[in-house]
Amino acid sequence: MKTAVVWFKTDLRVTDNETLVKALSQNDAVIPVYCIDETHFKTTPFGFRKTGNFRAQFLMESLFDLDKNLRELGSGLLVLSGKPEVEIPNIVKQYRAHRVYAKREVAFEEKNTELSVQTELWKLHCELFTFSTSTLYHAEDLPFSIKDIPDVFTDFRRKTEKEAQIRSVFEKPIRIPSPEIQPPDLPTLSELGFKNVKIDNRAAIRFKGGESEAMKRLNHYFFGTKSISRYKETRNGMVGADYSTKFSAWLALGCISPRFIYQELKKYELQFGANESTYWLVFELLWRDYFRFMMKKHQSRMFRKSGIRNKEMATVKPDWKLFESWMEGQTGNDFVDANMLELKLTGFMSNRGRQNAASYLCHDLKFDWRYGAAYFEQQLIDYDVCSNWGNWAYLAGVGNDPRSNRYFNIEKQASDYDKNKLYRNLWLNKFDNSSDSRK
Ligand SMILES: Cc1cc2nc3c(=O)[nH]c(=O)nc-3n(C[C@H](O)[C@H](O)[C@H](O)COP(=O)(O)OP(=O)(O)OC[C@H]3O[C@@H](n4cnc5c(N)ncnc54)[C@H](O)[C@@H]3O)c2cc1C
């Protein structure tokens, strides 16, 4: 009897999960496993936690939902805590598994963890099989080798759209043969060292983790409200649930795949018509792909202060009081402050807000951009290593931007995108908006 471990990471779904499907087709039984990696909850060299409470909560909800979905297919999720390079081999030994299947990583730390696990598995004569499962276009289908991918997005997009095809999705398995798996005992936020998350009733959306919630959000945005047909005009908005898709948090943890979104988008277009807005979502998902491919191409250079351009940025000696005022939304610039408060109190900020808040830190305060990226890493509910560090480097002027200085004139941005101060008034008023805490 051939038994394999499926090691879930940021692919917390059963639909369109090639890793799971391949493990099922090549083995008699599989053991779905998630390891709560202790390093993900440590403090980084920049002084922030790698994961903050909003994402921790979202992760636990996603694991709960994945277990439920796996159980409906006859299996369940085995949840471990510790170091993957210790915990995954232990499970392999316990179940005498001969293979481990997992998502393929591209970023520096994640890749190192993957390699450490692989090294330990080799000692047990167990092989690690990995699959690229998080992009719209598969890396192998691109019209360039990774090292030749253009460093300018438009060049990448045009050629890719012209010459590559998007693969179809992997259907959800019908049944998962597994040994009996006890329901997981997920840690509470306080066990992970966090206070309970408080819901601010001004939050654009109540993000709840898991594939089931991701599907609900997609159906709401596409077929329920048809908001997708207006996306191109509304996507720069800042107030409310439906100015943009809000798919990011579910995409970041892999509760939904970009190819599944694409498949549903095509269904929607057949039924209700295609327009510039429906296309624009593909355009944005291509940005997401792009930062992942850039990470694969440039690796640890994506995290350097001088970035992939090896460009020295003129920064000032760190003034931590100033940095704190930025984090706390107390710089005195009302547009930046409103955005930073939204991030602090909800774990989310619009794309327009992120661009302005990042530009302000890099170009107005002349702060080392990596501190901003590290704070976002802690704080964002939708943190994705490639999208976060890639966008930050881009805005700091050391990344993939062909323009030499992407400076945002914040006053102009505020009057263009928040003309009637609706957004600023929402976040800068003084009364307490936090409501009940959730368990
Ligand atoms: C400084 C900075 C940091 C960022 N950090 C992250 C991050 O950690 N995680 C993350 O998912 N996005 C990040 N983004 C990109 C973008 O701001 C968010 O994806 C978006 O605001 C999420 O809201 P949405 O899902 O409603 O987006 P929508 O406008 O509905 O876009 C749909 C999807 O397209 C993708 N997308 C859109 N814009 C971008 C972009 N510029 N780069 C990469 N993907 C994009 C996202 O997956 C998003 O969910 C960052 C942008 C900036 C400027």
Side-chain angles (χ1 to χ4, degrees):
M1 167 137 151
K2 287 196 285 182
T3 302
V5 165
V6 175
W7 174 23
F8 284 88
K9 291 183 282 180
T10 47
D11 53 350
L12 305 179
R13 61 177 183 269
V14 291
T15 299
D16 194 28
N17 192 330
E18 183 179 359
T19 311
L20 178 62
V21 170
K22 288 282 160 64
L24 284 168
S25 69
Q26 295 167 3
N27 297 280
D28 303 309
V30 307
I31 301 143
V33 171
Y34 183 88
C35 179
I36 300 175
D37 187 338
E38 60 187 32
T39 59
H40 291 180
F41 296 88
K42 296 233 157 97
T43 301
T44 68
F46 297 98
F48 304 106
R49 285 189 84 168
K50 209 168 158 50
T51 306
N53 60 347
F54 293 109
R55 199 159 73 256
Q57 167 91 27
F58 192 85
L59 171 65
M60 293 309 135
E61 290 164 352
S62 300
L63 295 178
F64 182 83
D65 187 63
L66 179 61
D67 175 66
K68 178 175 81 53
N69 293 338
L70 288 166
R71 234 157 257 286
E72 280 168 14
L73 302 174
S75 182
L77 185 66
L78 198 59
V79 178
L80 320 162
S81 294
K83 288 191 169 67
E85 60 272 32
V86 175
E87 301 304 327
I88 300 294
N90 276 346
I91 289 297
V92 162
K93 274 191 263 177
Q94 191 182 328
Y95 287 91
R96 296 174 195 275
H98 76 130
R99 286 178 175 174
V100 172
Y101 291 71
K103 175 186 162 174
R104 190 171 307 150
E105 299 296 347
V106 293
F108 184 73
E109 286 174 6
E110 290 74 3
K111 194 87 209 153
N112 275 347
T113 306
E114 183 181 296
L115 286 173
S116 308
V117 170
Q118 190 175 34
T119 307
E120 293 308 311
L121 291 177
W122 271 116
K123 296 179 189 164
L124 303 174
H125 306 288
C126 176
E127 270 184 279
L128 176 67
F129 286 67
T130 61
F131 302 85
S132 291
T133 57
S134 65
T135 47
L136 189 58
Y137 284 91
H138 197 288
E140 286 163 15
D141 300 336
L142 294 178
F144 347 76
S145 64
I146 293 291
K147 75 173 179 22
D148 295 323
I149 295 183
D151 282 330
V152 175
F153 172 72
T154 309
D155 301 341
F156 157 80
R157 180 183 60 79
R158 288 210 180 112
K159 202 164 158 65
T160 301
E161 285 184 321
K162 206 164 150 200
E163 296 179 26
Q165 295 285 325
I166 296 169
R167 296 185 183 185
S168 48
V169 305
F170 287 85
E171 293 297 325
K172 172 176 157 179
I174 295 166
R175 207 178 82 79
I176 302 181
S178 302
E180 196 186 335
I181 295 171
Q182 293 301 316
D185 190 11
L186 294 172
T188 60
L189 282 199
S190 65
E191 281 163 352
L192 290 169
F194 297 107
K195 287 191 187 137
N196 272 346
V197 168
K198 287 198 169 166
I199 307 170
D200 190 294
N201 37 29
R202 294 165 293 182
I205 180 176
R206 156 73 164 98
F207 281 105
K208 187 166 184 218
E211 182 171 10
S212 313
E213 290 294 324
M215 297 292 176
K216 272 194 215 159
R217 176 65 193 166
L218 184 141
N219 282 324
H220 167 87
Y221 202 76
F222 286 9
F223 304 98
T225 58
K226 303 191 180 62
S227 302
I228 187 64
S229 291
R230 300 178 293 276
Y231 170 70
K232 189 158 184 251
E233 294 93 67
T234 59
R235 58 177 280 276
N236 277 311
M238 305 184 80
V239 180
D242 293 340
Y243 63 81
S244 66
T245 66
K246 311 291 188 301
F247 292 162
S248 54
W250 290 286
L251 278 165
L253 276 191
C255 302
I256 195 165
S257 78
R259 275 179 223 153
F260 182 80
I261 294 175
Y262 182 77
Q263 172 192 280
E264 297 304 295
L265 188 67
K266 291 292 128 187
K267 284 189 198 158
Y268 178 90
E269 287 178 337
L270 272 179
Q271 216 178 330
F272 301 108
N275 64 13
E276 277 199 329
S277 282
T278 57
Y279 164 69
W280 212 260
L281 178 56
V282 180
F283 180 95
E284 294 300 339
L285 289 173
L286 264 163
W287 267 110
R288 182 177 171 278
D289 272 16
Y290 186 61
F291 284 123
R292 190 166 177 89
F293 295 136
M294 284 296 106
M295 189 62 89
K296 209 169 155 67
K297 176 176 174 181
H298 294 290
Q299 301 176 18
S300 57
R301 275 176 303 184
M302 294 286 281
F303 302 96
R304 277 194 320 213
K305 188 178 174 191
S306 58
I308 62 170
R309 291 183 172 200
N310 211 5
K311 184 175 156 192
E312 279 317 316
M313 295 299 293
T315 50
V316 291
K317 193 164 162 276
D319 175 344
W320 296 110
K321 273 222 158 90
L322 212 56
F323 188 77
E324 210 173 306
S325 70
W326 176 78
M327 282 195 306
E328 295 294 321
Q330 289 175 359
T331 64
N333 180 310
D334 61 357
F335 194 56
V336 171
D337 289 350
N339 277 291
M340 293 306 293
L341 279 172
E342 183 184 8
L343 178 65
K344 181 183 167 190
L345 299 173
T346 71
F348 187 79
M349 191 198 286
S350 69
N351 187 54
R352 184 57 41 192
R354 294 181 204 201
Q355 289 176 320
N356 278 280
S359 168
Y360 185 79
L361 186 78
C362 304
H363 304 301
D364 290 295
L365 301 186
K366 301 216 178 308
F367 225 87
D368 179 344
W369 65 275
R370 297 171 305 163
Y371 286 89
Y375 176 62
F376 271 35
E377 174 168 352
Q378 170 187 280
Q379 208 57 24
L380 281 174
I381 195 162
D382 62 17
Y383 170 72
D384 169 281
V385 55
C386 310
S387 296
N388 187 57
W389 289 83
N391 271 293
W392 266 97
Y394 186 96
L395 282 154
V398 299
N400 295 87
D401 191 353
R403 287 181 7 194
S404 60
N405 188 3
R406 188 156 292 259
Y407 174 72
F408 280 69
N409 178 336
I410 313 272
E411 299 312 321
K412 182 168 181 328
Q413 290 274 316
S415 74
D416 287 350
Y417 295 100
D418 187 31
K419 202 168 166 190
N420 300 323
K421 294 201 169 187
L422 255 182
Y423 179 74
R424 280 166 288 177
N425 287 339
L426 181 67
W427 288 100
L428 298 176
N429 63 12
K430 296 285 182 259
F431 62 88
D432 179 13
N433 282 281
S434 53
S435 62
D436 55 319
S437 64
R438 41 182 162 127
K439 295 253 170 325

